[in-house]
mmCIF file of all heavy atoms in Angstrom:
data_model
loop_
_atom_site.group_PDB
_atom_site.id
_atom_site.type_symbol
_atom_site.label_atom_id
_atom_site.label_comp_id
_atom_site.label_asym_id
_atom_site.label_seq_id
_atom_site.Cartn_x
_atom_site.Cartn_y
_atom_site.Cartn_z
ATOM 1 N N ALA S 30 19.998 -13.230 9.368
ATOM 2 C CA ALA S 30 18.893 -14.168 9.200
ATOM 3 C C ALA S 30 18.708 -15.022 10.453
ATOM 4 O O ALA S 30 17.574 -15.249 10.900
ATOM 5 C CB ALA S 30 19.127 -15.055 7.981
ATOM 6 N N LEU S 31 19.806 -15.479 11.036
ATOM 7 C CA LEU S 31 19.728 -16.277 12.253
ATOM 8 C C LEU S 31 19.154 -15.463 13.408
ATOM 9 O O LEU S 31 18.298 -15.934 14.157
ATOM 10 C CB LEU S 31 21.114 -16.831 12.624
ATOM 11 C CG LEU S 31 21.663 -17.937 11.721
ATOM 12 C CD1 LEU S 31 23.140 -18.189 12.008
ATOM 13 C CD2 LEU S 31 20.868 -19.211 11.884
ATOM 14 N N ALA S 32 19.613 -14.214 13.544
ATOM 15 C CA ALA S 32 19.156 -13.350 14.635
ATOM 16 C C ALA S 32 17.659 -13.044 14.532
ATOM 17 O O ALA S 32 16.969 -12.928 15.540
ATOM 18 C CB ALA S 32 19.964 -12.053 14.651
ATOM 19 N N LYS S 33 17.156 -12.910 13.319
ATOM 20 C CA LYS S 33 15.753 -12.553 13.121
ATOM 21 C C LYS S 33 14.836 -13.767 12.975
ATOM 22 O O LYS S 33 13.638 -13.611 12.780
ATOM 23 C CB LYS S 33 15.617 -11.653 11.896
ATOM 24 C CG LYS S 33 16.275 -10.300 12.104
ATOM 25 C CD LYS S 33 16.025 -9.371 10.951
ATOM 26 C CE LYS S 33 16.664 -8.016 11.270
ATOM 27 N NZ LYS S 33 16.305 -7.012 10.301
ATOM 28 N N GLY S 34 15.401 -14.956 13.065
ATOM 29 C CA GLY S 34 14.580 -16.160 12.950
ATOM 30 C C GLY S 34 14.149 -16.451 11.527
ATOM 31 O O GLY S 34 13.169 -17.158 11.298
ATOM 32 N N TRP S 35 14.876 -15.943 10.559
ATOM 33 C CA TRP S 35 14.528 -16.141 9.152
ATOM 34 C C TRP S 35 15.200 -17.365 8.548
ATOM 35 O O TRP S 35 14.925 -17.750 7.432
ATOM 36 C CB TRP S 35 14.917 -14.919 8.325
ATOM 37 C CG TRP S 35 14.186 -13.664 8.673
ATOM 38 C CD1 TRP S 35 13.055 -13.543 9.416
ATOM 39 C CD2 TRP S 35 14.532 -12.349 8.278
ATOM 40 N NE1 TRP S 35 12.680 -12.235 9.510
ATOM 41 C CE2 TRP S 35 13.569 -11.463 8.816
ATOM 42 C CE3 TRP S 35 15.568 -11.803 7.521
ATOM 43 C CZ2 TRP S 35 13.609 -10.102 8.626
ATOM 44 C CZ3 TRP S 35 15.606 -10.445 7.332
ATOM 45 C CH2 TRP S 35 14.634 -9.599 7.876
ATOM 46 N N HIS S 36 16.115 -17.948 9.264
ATOM 47 C CA HIS S 36 16.861 -19.102 8.766
ATOM 48 C C HIS S 36 16.005 -20.356 8.920
ATOM 49 O O HIS S 36 15.484 -20.639 9.997
ATOM 50 C CB HIS S 36 18.164 -19.257 9.565
ATOM 51 C CG HIS S 36 18.983 -20.427 9.152
ATOM 52 N ND1 HIS S 36 18.991 -21.611 9.845
ATOM 53 C CD2 HIS S 36 19.809 -20.606 8.105
ATOM 54 C CE1 HIS S 36 19.791 -22.461 9.253
ATOM 55 N NE2 HIS S 36 20.306 -21.881 8.201
ATOM 56 N N VAL S 37 15.836 -21.085 7.847
ATOM 57 C CA VAL S 37 15.076 -22.334 7.872
ATOM 58 C C VAL S 37 16.027 -23.454 7.473
ATOM 59 O O VAL S 37 16.631 -23.410 6.405
ATOM 60 C CB VAL S 37 13.884 -22.286 6.880
ATOM 61 C CG1 VAL S 37 13.152 -23.624 6.881
ATOM 62 C CG2 VAL S 37 12.946 -21.152 7.234
ATOM 63 N N ALA S 38 16.156 -24.421 8.340
ATOM 64 C CA ALA S 38 17.015 -25.567 8.059
ATOM 65 C C ALA S 38 16.130 -26.768 7.761
ATOM 66 O O ALA S 38 15.564 -27.363 8.675
ATOM 67 C CB ALA S 38 17.930 -25.852 9.239
ATOM 68 N N PRO S 39 15.961 -27.113 6.470
ATOM 69 C CA PRO S 39 15.099 -28.253 6.142
ATOM 70 C C PRO S 39 15.690 -29.551 6.657
ATOM 71 O O PRO S 39 16.903 -29.732 6.688
ATOM 72 C CB PRO S 39 15.042 -28.230 4.616
ATOM 73 C CG PRO S 39 16.233 -27.453 4.196
ATOM 74 C CD PRO S 39 16.576 -26.521 5.311
ATOM 75 N N LYS S 40 14.819 -30.415 7.077
ATOM 76 C CA LYS S 40 15.240 -31.715 7.575
ATOM 77 C C LYS S 40 14.657 -32.799 6.666
ATOM 78 O O LYS S 40 13.601 -32.612 6.076
ATOM 79 C CB LYS S 40 14.740 -31.901 8.998
ATOM 80 C CG LYS S 40 15.351 -30.912 9.982
ATOM 81 C CD LYS S 40 14.988 -31.286 11.396
ATOM 82 C CE LYS S 40 15.497 -30.380 12.469
ATOM 83 N NZ LYS S 40 16.462 -29.420 12.233
ATOM 84 N N PRO S 41 15.345 -33.922 6.563
ATOM 85 C CA PRO S 41 14.815 -35.010 5.721
ATOM 86 C C PRO S 41 13.522 -35.574 6.303
ATOM 87 O O PRO S 41 13.250 -35.439 7.494
ATOM 88 C CB PRO S 41 15.930 -36.053 5.735
ATOM 89 C CG PRO S 41 16.811 -35.706 6.866
ATOM 90 C CD PRO S 41 16.610 -34.258 7.177
ATOM 91 N N LEU S 42 12.743 -36.193 5.444
ATOM 92 C CA LEU S 42 11.521 -36.855 5.890
ATOM 93 C C LEU S 42 11.884 -38.115 6.666
ATOM 94 O O LEU S 42 12.938 -38.713 6.446
ATOM 95 C CB LEU S 42 10.649 -37.211 4.690
ATOM 96 C CG LEU S 42 10.169 -36.032 3.838
ATOM 97 C CD1 LEU S 42 9.356 -36.530 2.644
ATOM 98 C CD2 LEU S 42 9.345 -35.054 4.663
ATOM 99 N N THR S 43 11.032 -38.515 7.563
ATOM 100 C CA THR S 43 11.273 -39.670 8.417
ATOM 101 C C THR S 43 10.655 -40.918 7.803
ATOM 102 O O THR S 43 9.528 -40.880 7.313
ATOM 103 C CB THR S 43 10.670 -39.432 9.816
ATOM 104 O OG1 THR S 43 11.175 -38.196 10.314
ATOM 105 C CG2 THR S 43 11.054 -40.534 10.770
ATOM 106 N N LYS S 44 11.402 -41.999 7.859
ATOM 107 C CA LYS S 44 10.967 -43.282 7.282
ATOM 108 C C LYS S 44 9.665 -43.762 7.920
ATOM 109 O O LYS S 44 9.411 -43.523 9.093
ATOM 110 C CB LYS S 44 12.079 -44.310 7.497
ATOM 111 C CG LYS S 44 11.872 -45.598 6.764
ATOM 112 C CD LYS S 44 13.074 -46.492 6.938
ATOM 113 C CE LYS S 44 12.858 -47.791 6.198
ATOM 114 N NZ LYS S 44 13.974 -48.695 6.324
ATOM 115 N N ASN S 45 8.866 -44.459 7.132
ATOM 116 C CA ASN S 45 7.613 -45.084 7.576
ATOM 117 C C ASN S 45 6.602 -44.082 8.125
ATOM 118 O O ASN S 45 5.974 -44.328 9.145
ATOM 119 C CB ASN S 45 7.887 -46.182 8.618
ATOM 120 C CG ASN S 45 8.741 -47.295 8.065
ATOM 121 O OD1 ASN S 45 8.620 -47.663 6.905
ATOM 122 N ND2 ASN S 45 9.622 -47.821 8.882
ATOM 123 N N THR S 46 6.462 -42.961 7.455
ATOM 124 C CA THR S 46 5.469 -41.983 7.871
ATOM 125 C C THR S 46 4.482 -41.755 6.735
ATOM 126 O O THR S 46 4.766 -42.036 5.568
ATOM 127 C CB THR S 46 6.111 -40.634 8.243
ATOM 128 O OG1 THR S 46 6.756 -40.097 7.089
ATOM 129 C CG2 THR S 46 7.113 -40.779 9.381
ATOM 130 N N ALA S 47 3.327 -41.224 7.094
ATOM 131 C CA ALA S 47 2.305 -40.927 6.094
ATOM 132 C C ALA S 47 2.812 -39.891 5.094
ATOM 133 O O ALA S 47 2.446 -39.918 3.916
ATOM 134 C CB ALA S 47 1.035 -40.431 6.777
ATOM 135 N N THR S 48 3.671 -38.986 5.551
ATOM 136 C CA THR S 48 4.216 -37.953 4.661
ATOM 137 C C THR S 48 5.035 -38.578 3.539
ATOM 138 O O THR S 48 4.919 -38.179 2.382
ATOM 139 C CB THR S 48 5.088 -36.957 5.458
ATOM 140 O OG1 THR S 48 4.337 -36.457 6.556
ATOM 141 C CG2 THR S 48 5.549 -35.816 4.590
ATOM 142 N N VAL S 49 5.856 -39.556 3.873
ATOM 143 C CA VAL S 49 6.679 -40.240 2.871
ATOM 144 C C VAL S 49 5.782 -40.979 1.887
ATOM 145 O O VAL S 49 5.956 -40.882 0.669
ATOM 146 C CB VAL S 49 7.674 -41.213 3.543
ATOM 147 C CG1 VAL S 49 8.334 -42.117 2.510
ATOM 148 C CG2 VAL S 49 8.717 -40.442 4.322
ATOM 149 N N GLN S 50 4.820 -41.702 2.405
ATOM 150 C CA GLN S 50 3.906 -42.456 1.538
ATOM 151 C C GLN S 50 3.129 -41.510 0.625
ATOM 152 O O GLN S 50 2.945 -41.797 -0.560
ATOM 153 C CB GLN S 50 2.950 -43.283 2.389
ATOM 154 C CG GLN S 50 3.650 -44.381 3.145
ATOM 155 C CD GLN S 50 2.794 -44.959 4.267
ATOM 156 O OE1 GLN S 50 1.777 -44.401 4.634
ATOM 157 N NE2 GLN S 50 3.244 -46.081 4.813
ATOM 158 N N GLU S 51 2.695 -40.388 1.171
ATOM 159 C CA GLU S 51 1.954 -39.427 0.360
ATOM 160 C C GLU S 51 2.845 -38.822 -0.715
ATOM 161 O O GLU S 51 2.431 -38.686 -1.871
ATOM 162 C CB GLU S 51 1.365 -38.322 1.236
ATOM 163 C CG GLU S 51 0.524 -37.350 0.440
ATOM 164 C CD GLU S 51 -0.202 -36.350 1.318
ATOM 165 O OE1 GLU S 51 -0.202 -36.493 2.546
ATOM 166 O OE2 GLU S 51 -0.777 -35.422 0.739
ATOM 167 N N PHE S 52 4.079 -38.470 -0.359
ATOM 168 C CA PHE S 52 5.017 -37.898 -1.330
ATOM 169 C C PHE S 52 5.228 -38.866 -2.486
ATOM 170 O O PHE S 52 5.135 -38.487 -3.656
ATOM 171 C CB PHE S 52 6.353 -37.567 -0.656
ATOM 172 C CG PHE S 52 7.325 -36.879 -1.563
ATOM 173 C CD1 PHE S 52 7.427 -35.501 -1.578
ATOM 174 C CD2 PHE S 52 8.133 -37.601 -2.436
ATOM 175 C CE1 PHE S 52 8.315 -34.857 -2.429
ATOM 176 C CE2 PHE S 52 9.017 -36.971 -3.294
ATOM 177 C CZ PHE S 52 9.108 -35.592 -3.285
#
Side-chain angles (χ1 to χ4, degrees):
L31 289 168
K33 293 186 177 188
W35 296 345
H36 179 260
V37 177
K40 296 189 181 347
L42 299 178
T43 307
K44 190 175 180 180
N45 299 324
T46 62
T48 307
V49 169
Q50 293 164 347
E51 183 173 351
F52 184 95

